[in-house]
Amino acid sequence: MTRGLAPDRPAFLIAVVCLWLATVGNVALWHGLFERSLLRGFGGWILVAGLGVGIAGLMALLSSLLAWRWTLKPVLVLWLLVSAGCTHFMLSYGMVMDPSMLVNVLQTDPHEAADLMSGRLLLNLLLLGVLPAVWVVRRPVSYGRWTGRLKGNLQTAVLSLVITVVALFACFQPLASTVRNHHEVRYLVNPLNVVYALGKVAFSGPAHARGLAPIGEDAAIAAPFGPAHPPLLVLVLGETGRVGNFGVNGYERDTTPELARQDIVSFRNVWSCGTSTAASVPCMFSRLGRERFLDRDHDEEGLLDVLQRAGYGVLWLDNQGGCKGVCDRVPNAATCADGECLDAALLEGLDARLAALPAERRARGVVLVLHQIGSHGPAYYRRSSPETKRFLPECTQNELQSCSRAELVNAYDNSIAYTDHLLGATIGWLKQKEVNWRPAMMYVADHGESLGENNLYLHGLPYAVAPDVQKRVPWITWMSPGFVHDTGLGVTCLRSRAEERLSHDHYFHSVLGLMGVSTSVYDAARDVYAPCRAGGVKAAQVSAIS
């Protein structure tokens, strides 16, 4: 409390903070409306005035419910700090705060958080959050008796509600048009976007509340692999892979020279389940497909559970922020628990890890999952080793908008070149196993990335409004001659499907098909390899051209 100042009423403190939030705290919203040419003419001014007063009124309404001696100042300080942080990321990277993005924030590990730290972030937090918060903390407030406080809080709430209704009604026509044609704008309303996202995440969780339902209880191995040569499948789960930046997919830069030397199949029209790891990974390892996964009323086991139940050895190795629950019931390990490593750490000691799996499961076959840090931004320059940096100069800052477009693309392309190096090394390791195994590798990224197109950076936009570069991902397969022989797959047939539209919906069923798992949850129609398998669709053509 500051000496010499007459105590304020709680309503005054609420009004000042909420007006600050509605104006300065929503600069990202006003910038977004301006960029969408929605602030022109008289209608634009009506929209700004009505929306600004409406935001202030709603924030005042929420704050008045908590305007008690021990809660008011902490709540107002929290509003200010959250608003400042959201403003920075929305302006700097084009992010919006929807429920999916909030989940990403909550699941961010310390290393990922450190990559986002910058001088500009600290400055924005100081100017937009800390300094106003200090003012709030130092203002003396008179709360009075609890009965009077209750009456005052109710009066403030009613007045705030009336102001909000009048303001929004006054700008209803331009506001309704804006929300209808620009759905993403609602996620720019700060910090109400965070309040909505928290409520959505907290109260829309019946899928988790009802427990985990088992699936594939009838799973069994029906593959033609002989006991002397069991299958060894490496699933490389890529991070932030843009399909268009892979040289093997026609990119003008040679970002994938090692893959180009291998006999691979690359599907180039694949769409992700989501635009973030938290959204995509659980979805792609589910049997449901994107639409059913989003609408599910309970959680259930996934791909790795079915593979393990069938009798295979399964191991998840992680160089990212965890497996988002999909590896919880199978053996798993972090490759770099004490720091941030390059993805080469995933291959270190792999022979020993393979040998440590139960012998009876190894005898049937093994599925290894390598979860990359890949091209995770914004610190792309940290995702490649010095010897694989082929494109210079590269952006070496976390504040991507401070780099030139060329430097930013160079840094990202270097991370793809390093992924190429990892995949080449993985294939090399698998070739060493051909004497005793039938090895294969499948690389699929979880989502794409924005590199400054339309002033958007990173990923995580709501799926409906996210640009295609955040949703199109690479899907690359390498199979040893023995694996091709035993499965009856026609490589030429697979290459003829390179441009067909596919998605993460096919992932679960395609892996089961490759591993020859017989189960009622397998859907051959969503197995991308099934049409090119001997005995399946196009069998005659496959036999003739393979």
Side-chain angles (χ1 to χ4, degrees):
M1 180 179 296
T2 303
R3 295 180 180 178
L5 292 178
D8 297 320
R9 292 185 177 182
F12 172 78
L13 207 60
I14 291 172
V16 172
V17 171
C18 292
L19 286 173
W20 171 272
L21 293 172
T23 52
V24 178
N26 267 281
V27 64
L29 170 64
W30 311 128
H31 181 262
L33 294 176
F34 176 79
E35 282 196 327
R36 292 165 176 80
S37 301
L38 297 174
L39 301 185
R40 296 177 179 176
F42 182 71
W45 288 106
I46 292 294
L47 176 62
V48 169
L51 189 54
V53 173
I55 292 171
L58 279 173
M59 292 305 305
L61 175 60
L62 292 174
S63 301
S64 65
L65 302 178
L66 299 167
W68 301 92
R69 184 181 304 275
W70 304 111
T71 57
L72 178 60
K73 286 189 175 183
V75 166
L76 296 181
V77 168
L78 181 63
W79 290 149
L80 290 166
L81 295 179
V82 168
S83 173
C86 288
T87 296
H88 169 79
F89 288 109
M90 288 190 291
L91 286 176
S92 297
Y93 301 111
M95 292 180 176
V96 297
M97 185 56 68
D98 68 333
S100 177
M101 182 60 72
L102 180 63
V103 171
N104 294 334
V105 171
L106 296 176
Q107 294 184 357
T108 297
D109 63 32
H111 301 300
E112 293 174 342
D115 286 342
L116 294 169
M117 294 299 295
S118 66
R120 182 174 295 183
L121 169 60
L122 297 178
L123 181 62
N124 285 335
L125 287 176
L126 176 65
L127 296 179
L128 301 180
V130 174
L131 292 181
V134 170
W135 180 84
V136 169
V137 171
R138 290 176 60 83
R139 294 295 298 186
V141 179
S142 175
Y143 294 94
R145 296 174 59 86
W146 76 267
T147 53
R149 182 74 272 116
L150 177 61
K151 179 180 178 181
N153 290 352
L154 291 175
Q155 290 174 339
T156 302
V158 171
L159 180 60
S160 300
L161 179 61
V162 170
I163 291 174
T164 300
V165 171
V166 171
L168 295 182
F169 181 79
C171 70
F172 179 78
Q173 185 172 350
L175 178 61
S177 176
T178 298
V179 173
R180 183 171 58 252
N181 297 313
H182 304 275
H183 301 285
E184 71 280 7
V185 166
R186 56 183 168 169
Y187 298 120
L188 298 176
V189 179
N190 196 18
L192 290 169
N193 49 5
V194 178
V195 175
Y196 169 78
L198 278 172
K200 187 77 172 178
V201 171
F203 296 106
S204 64
H208 306 287
R210 300 184 186 182
L212 190 72
I215 64 169
E217 294 182 292
D218 59 345
I221 299 172
F225 303 105
H229 296 91
L232 173 58
L233 177 63
V234 175
L235 300 175
V236 181
L237 178 54
E239 165 66 33
T240 317
R242 286 168 55 121
V243 66
N245 288 65
F246 278 64
V248 292
N249 291 330
Y251 188 39
E252 61 271 15
R253 283 180 155 181
D254 189 14
T255 54
T256 54
E258 296 194 39
L259 282 175
R261 291 193 291 268
Q262 303 294 338
D263 191 18
I264 64 166
V265 174
S266 182
F267 299 122
R268 297 189 286 271
N269 190 18
V270 182
W271 297 77
S272 66
C273 278
T275 62
S276 67
T277 302
S280 280
V281 171
C283 178
M284 67 191 290
F285 279 80
S286 164
R287 69 183 175 103
L288 299 175
R290 182 173 183 272
E291 291 186 7
R292 291 177 60 199
F293 185 81
L294 294 175
D295 293 335
R296 72 196 190 284
D297 61 2
H298 66 275
D299 271 343
E300 61 180 34
E301 294 175 339
L303 172 63
L304 303 186
D305 300 285
V306 178
L307 290 168
Q308 184 167 256
R309 184 165 289 127
Y312 285 125
V314 180
L315 175 62
W316 177 290
L317 298 178
D318 204 280
N319 193 34
Q320 242 269 40
C323 66
K324 314 306 177 188
V326 303
C327 70
D328 288 353
R329 295 161 300 280
V330 303
N332 61 85
T335 58
C336 194
D338 297 328
E340 188 173 276
C341 300
L342 291 172
D343 283 324
L346 291 165
L347 301 180
E348 294 177 1
L350 205 51
D351 286 317
R353 293 184 186 276
L354 181 63
L357 292 173
E360 67 277 10
R361 290 187 175 273
R362 280 191 287 115
R364 300 185 188 102
V366 172
V367 177
L368 300 176
V369 184
L370 308 182
H371 188 196
Q372 287 185 274
I373 196 168
S375 301
H376 196 287
Y380 305 119
Y381 66 96
R382 295 183 182 176
R383 311 299 174 225
S384 57
S385 59
E387 64 273 13
T388 59
K389 293 184 183 296
R390 310 179 62 209
F391 310 104
L392 298 172
E394 67 174 357
C395 178
T396 57
Q397 301 183 50
N398 297 346
E399 298 175 5
L400 301 181
Q401 66 277 15
S402 299
C403 296
S404 69
R405 166 73 176 171
E407 291 171 336
L408 176 57
V409 173
N410 284 346
Y412 180 84
D413 283 350
N414 284 334
S415 72
I416 298 298
Y418 188 82
T419 289
D420 172 68
H421 175 68
L422 173 75
L423 297 180
T426 302
I427 293 172
W429 179 79
L430 287 169
K431 285 183 175 181
Q432 297 173 9
K433 307 301 174 188
E434 289 188 75
V435 175
N436 299 314
W437 301 82
R438 293 294 190 244
M441 182 200 76
M442 193 168 82
Y443 165 83
V444 184
D446 57 355
H447 55 77
E449 187 85 329
S450 288
L451 297 176
E453 301 92 350
N454 299 313
N455 292 319
L456 297 177
Y457 298 87
L458 303 180
H459 54 266
L461 282 176
Y463 200 87
V465 299
D468 289 353
V469 291
Q470 292 191 25
K471 296 183 287 190
R472 286 190 63 184
V473 295
W475 182 322
I476 295 169
T477 310
W478 173 85
M479 298 173 289
S480 65
F483 191 96
V484 172
H485 176 271
D486 285 5
T487 57
L489 284 168
V491 175
T492 306
C493 172
L494 289 172
R495 288 184 180 135
S496 72
R497 306 189 67 209
E499 300 298 338
E500 291 186 25
R501 186 181 176 101
L502 305 171
S503 74
H504 279 164
D505 291 5
H506 297 85
Y507 190 83
F508 176 98
H509 306 278
S510 299
V511 174
L512 291 183
L514 280 179
M515 296 300 289
V517 175
S518 172
T519 172
S520 58
V521 296
Y522 166 72
D523 183 358
R526 288 194 280 176
D527 179 351
V528 300
Y529 305 101
C532 297
R533 186 175 293 118
V537 181
K538 300 183 181 178
Q541 295 93 321
V542 172
S543 299
I545 61 180
S546 298

